[in-house]
């Protein structure tokens, strides 16, 4: 049944491509090139555990992300259609084992290999509806904000991290089959519904994102999110709340047991205090501690652009995250209790050119792993990013 539902969603969305009238198919070369926009990004992080934690060492991780943005309206005359093809290469190692932490100090760690990522099409139906389908991930559309992408630590970078710790949704570089419907009735309100395949092999690095199979053992991950864009106390704001429900044969933290259902709720609020200063607050909560190692996470962030007159594109960045551990996880580890793990990060982002960024930062991990037996870890690092 789960397989049938997902196939129906995918067939409905992809069939729109075949049914769209193809006009002006004989495009000339300049028209074709006009609708094909290549992109390339390279990001690297170097960081060191210099005090506290379990071991003092240095690590490096990098990510190459490249592909094509496709405007099918310009290429083939398909009105409102666009697509994306991309690949990712990740390399290097992280520091979480050496620090003893749940949260990884280098957000580029996870899937250290080469993957096919995007292979998707999206169709706009007027200015209110859009539908996307293909190889993608839920975090391209759900539980995400542009304010998250400045953190070296993976607590919020890309997505509210607790959702990924469950292993029941995917992000870079683990693409899966999925489809998403977006409805924006007014400029203030937006609704999204997404349905995604969760195969047992989705996190298998040796498959390089090329396993397109559907299996009876696949689970189904469903997202719903409501966004509100307006003003709070006169300040421009975005608020979203959402839910991730997973149906299938789900492995619990005690691998000898399974569950057929999982729910996680999440939310976000941000405020633009002025044109240069933004803040955000997030939460994520699951009542299913038998699956959710970190049932609760909350993060706070500050983003101050142009702190100095001579550096109007630079940013001062601050992040704080707290994560708590489920009673079931604590019991499986043989402990009576675990404290919350808290991660603080302070960074300065030098916008050297339009395409080159250098961002030194300091992370401080309080009670790594919640054990209370590991000294707080001090982790300086630097982020280098180039976009073309």
């Amino acid at each position: 049944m789960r397989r049938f539902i997902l196939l129906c969603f995918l067939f409905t969305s992809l069939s729109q491509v075949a049914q769209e009238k193809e006009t002006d198919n004989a495009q000339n070369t300049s028209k074709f090139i006009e609708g094909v926009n290549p992109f390339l990004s390279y990001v690297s992080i170097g960081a060191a555990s210099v005090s506290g934690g379990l071991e003092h060492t240095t690590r490096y991780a990098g990510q190459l992300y490249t592909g094509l943005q496709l405007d099918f309206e310009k290429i083939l005359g398909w009105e409102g259609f666009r697509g994306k093809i991309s690949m990712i290469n990740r390399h290097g190692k992280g520091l979480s084992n050496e620090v003893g932490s749940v949260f990884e100090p280098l957000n580029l760690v996870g899937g250290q290999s080469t993957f096919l990522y995007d292979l998707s099409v999206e169709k706009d139906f007027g200015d209110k509806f859009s539908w996307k389908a293909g190889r993608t991930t839920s975090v391209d559309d759900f539980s995400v904000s542009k304010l998250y992408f400045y953190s070296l630590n993976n607590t919020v970078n890309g997505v509210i991290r607790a959702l990924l710790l469950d292993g029941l949704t995917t992000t870079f570089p683990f693409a899966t089959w999925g489809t998403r419907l977006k409805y924006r009735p007014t400029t203030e309100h937006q609704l999204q519904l997404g349905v995604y395949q969760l195969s047992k092999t989705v996190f298998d690095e040796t498959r390089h994102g090329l396993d397109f199979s559907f299996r009876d053992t696949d689970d189904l991950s469903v997202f719903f999110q409501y966004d509100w864009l307006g003003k709070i106390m006169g300040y421009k704001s975005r608020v979203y709340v959402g839910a991730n429900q997973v149906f299938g044969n789900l492995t619990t933290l005690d691998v000898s047991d399974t569950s057929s259902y999982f729910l996680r709720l999440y939310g976000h609020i941000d405020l633009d205090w002025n044109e240069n200063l933004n803040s955000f607050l997030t939460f994520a909560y699951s009542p299913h501690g038998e699956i959710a190692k970190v049932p609760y996470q909350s993060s706070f962030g500050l983003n101050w652009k142009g702190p100095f007159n001579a550096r109007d594109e630079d940013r001062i960045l601050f992040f704080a995250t707290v994560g708590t551990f489920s009673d079931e996880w604590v019991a499986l580890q043989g402990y009576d209790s675990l404290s919350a793990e808290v991660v603080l990060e302070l960074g300065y982002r030098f916008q050297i050119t339009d395409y080159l960024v250098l961002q030194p930062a300091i992370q401080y991990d309080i009670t790594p792993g919640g054990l209370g037996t590991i000294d707080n870890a001090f982790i300086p690092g630097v982020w280098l990013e180039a976009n073309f």
Side-chain angles (χ1 to χ4, degrees):
M1 178 59 69
R2 296 186 302 274
R3 180 179 177 185
F4 174 75
I5 293 172
L6 183 56
L7 283 169
C8 286
F9 266 89
L10 288 169
F11 176 79
T12 301
S13 56
L14 289 173
S15 65
Q16 295 291 333
V17 178
Q19 295 172 7
E20 187 77 3
K21 183 181 180 179
E22 298 184 15
T23 58
D24 300 324
N25 285 333
Q27 302 291 320
N28 57 38
T29 303
S30 62
K31 186 70 172 178
F32 178 80
I33 295 174
E34 182 184 357
V36 179
N37 298 308
F39 62 89
L40 185 146
S41 171
Y42 185 77
V43 184
S44 64
I45 299 175
S49 175
V50 298
S51 70
L54 296 173
E55 180 184 342
H56 298 164
T57 189
T58 301
R59 289 286 185 266
Y60 161 85
Q63 174 181 284
L64 175 69
Y65 178 42
T66 186
L68 299 172
Q69 297 273 10
L70 305 172
D71 186 334
F72 290 118
E73 188 167 349
K74 294 180 179 179
I75 299 171
L76 298 171
W78 295 350
E79 183 178 355
F81 274 99
R82 56 190 180 277
K84 192 174 183 181
I85 302 172
S86 70
M87 59 81 63
I88 298 170
N89 172 268
R90 276 187 166 179
H91 46 277
K93 296 181 179 180
L95 275 172
S96 60
N97 291 335
E98 289 73 18
V99 174
S101 59
V102 170
F103 300 112
E104 171 57 57
L106 285 73
N107 69 63
L108 302 176
V109 173
Q112 308 307 99
S113 187
T114 300
F115 295 83
L116 174 67
Y117 185 61
D118 293 288
L119 190 61
S120 61
V121 295
E122 186 167 356
K123 161 71 172 172
D124 292 328
F125 298 90
D127 58 359
K128 295 185 183 297
F129 285 95
S130 75
W131 196 303
K132 181 168 72 172
R135 299 288 291 180
T136 181
T137 66
S138 60
V139 299
D140 282 355
D141 297 285
F142 298 89
S143 178
V144 67
S145 165
K146 64 181 181 181
L147 296 173
Y148 301 168
F149 288 90
Y150 298 98
S151 172
L152 272 66
N153 196 289
N154 74 2
T155 49
V156 294
N157 192 301
V159 64
I160 301 173
R161 184 55 46 170
L163 276 76
L164 296 178
L165 293 176
D166 301 329
L168 298 178
T169 188
T170 67
T171 185
F172 272 22
F174 303 105
T176 188
W177 288 112
T179 183
R180 182 270 293 147
L181 175 66
K182 182 185 294 184
Y183 173 54
R184 192 169 186 177
T186 70
T187 57
E188 289 189 346
H189 304 282
Q190 178 177 281
L191 298 168
Q192 293 188 100
L193 175 66
V195 180
Y196 301 89
Q197 173 201 32
L198 273 180
S199 72
K200 305 303 182 185
T201 63
V202 67
F203 298 109
D204 187 345
E205 298 178 0
T206 65
R207 297 176 184 263
H208 306 290
L210 298 174
D211 184 356
F212 296 167
S213 303
F214 289 93
R215 302 177 178 87
D216 292 336
T217 57
D218 291 345
D219 302 324
L220 196 67
S221 181
V222 179
F223 275 82
F224 174 80
Q225 182 173 307
Y226 166 71
D227 288 57
W228 176 79
L229 297 94
K231 289 188 176 182
I232 298 177
M233 300 180 297
Y235 298 104
K236 185 179 177 182
S237 177
R238 178 194 178 198
V239 178
Y240 69 69
V241 291
N244 175 213
Q245 299 181 83
V246 185
F247 306 88
N249 188 31
L250 313 177
T251 303
T252 65
L253 295 172
D254 179 0
V255 295
S256 63
D257 197 8
T258 60
S259 176
S260 60
Y261 177 74
F262 177 81
L263 170 68
R264 184 176 283 279
L265 306 173
Y266 62 89
H268 160 107
I269 179 172
D270 64 53
L271 290 172
D272 293 349
W273 299 101
N274 57 47
E275 61 181 10
N276 291 328
L277 181 62
N278 313 95
S279 66
F280 71 83
L281 180 68
T282 72
F283 80 90
Y285 170 73
S286 173
H288 298 281
E290 72 278 9
I291 294 177
K293 178 179 178 179
V294 178
Y296 176 78
Q297 177 192 333
S298 183
S299 296
F300 171 77
L302 280 174
N303 188 316
W304 183 12
K305 181 181 178 182
F308 306 107
N309 291 335
R311 305 292 308 172
D312 57 356
E313 294 298 323
D314 289 1
R315 299 173 188 265
I316 293 177
L317 303 156
F318 174 75
F319 304 93
T321 294
V322 57
T324 63
F325 301 93
S326 70
D327 293 339
E328 291 85 347
W329 170 255
V330 172
L332 285 171
Q333 304 310 302
Y335 302 117
D336 294 329
S337 64
L338 290 177
S339 302
E341 181 172 346
V342 178
V343 179
L344 307 177
E345 181 177 333
L346 179 65
Y348 188 92
R349 187 177 182 89
F350 292 94
Q351 190 72 47
I352 299 173
T353 69
D354 290 343
Y355 57 85
L356 185 62
V357 167
L358 182 68
Q359 182 178 323
I362 297 171
Q363 299 178 45
Y364 190 59
D365 195 315
I366 302 172
T367 322
L371 292 173
T373 58
I374 304 175
D375 290 339
N376 298 343
F378 182 71
I379 310 164
V382 63
W383 170 318
L384 179 65
E385 178 179 345
N387 295 289
F388 303 96

